[in-house]
Amino acid sequence: MQRNGVRFTPLKKMILALGARKPLQALERASKDLRGSQHKALTSILMANSTSHFGREHHFSALTSYEAYRDAVPMRSYEALRPYIDRMCSGEPDVLF
């Protein structure tokens, strides 16, 4: 189905029927600039978590790109994160996020 040059897939029709027009429009805008959308999401996550112990330890407030994040926060196993998780389980606030 098409309306005003826009193709309405069954999923889009269902989303619109559920009253989710604004989220759908936001998703469509974001999908036109994937790199920019990803950068904005990463920046938002880093700033929101910059005051956590993990964020301070990895200088989240100074990271401005995916490459900087990749260099500052190496991949690690669950076991490597266990000390942070244990602290959170013990009730300590602001450890990982």
Side-chain angles (χ1 to χ4, degrees):
M1 174 180 166
Q2 269 193 306
R3 187 169 59 204
N4 297 330
V6 176
R7 186 166 183 268
F8 285 86
T9 64
L11 178 60
K12 277 188 183 180
K13 285 192 274 187
M14 182 182 74
I15 290 170
L16 292 173
L18 293 172
R21 184 174 301 279
K22 288 188 186 229
L24 179 60
Q25 289 170 340
L27 177 62
E28 287 178 337
R29 276 193 307 275
S31 70
K32 290 179 182 169
D33 178 18
L34 296 177
R35 188 173 298 275
S37 296
Q38 290 292 311
H39 183 266
K40 184 177 178 181
L42 177 62
T43 300
S44 175
I45 292 167
L46 291 174
M47 289 304 107
N49 295 291
S50 64
T51 59
S52 70
H53 177 80
F54 192 83
R56 289 189 313 273
E57 196 173 83
H58 293 87
H59 311 286
F60 280 8
S61 63
L63 303 180
T64 59
S65 68
Y66 161 75
E67 293 79 13
Y69 174 80
R70 179 195 60 212
D71 294 343
V73 185
M75 289 182 59
R76 55 189 89 187
S77 67
Y78 177 85
E79 288 306 316
L81 291 170
R82 184 181 288 280
Y84 298 102
I85 295 166
D86 288 344
R87 288 168 54 190
M88 289 177 64
C89 289
S90 295
E92 186 177 338
D94 302 322
V95 178
L96 285 173
F97 47 86

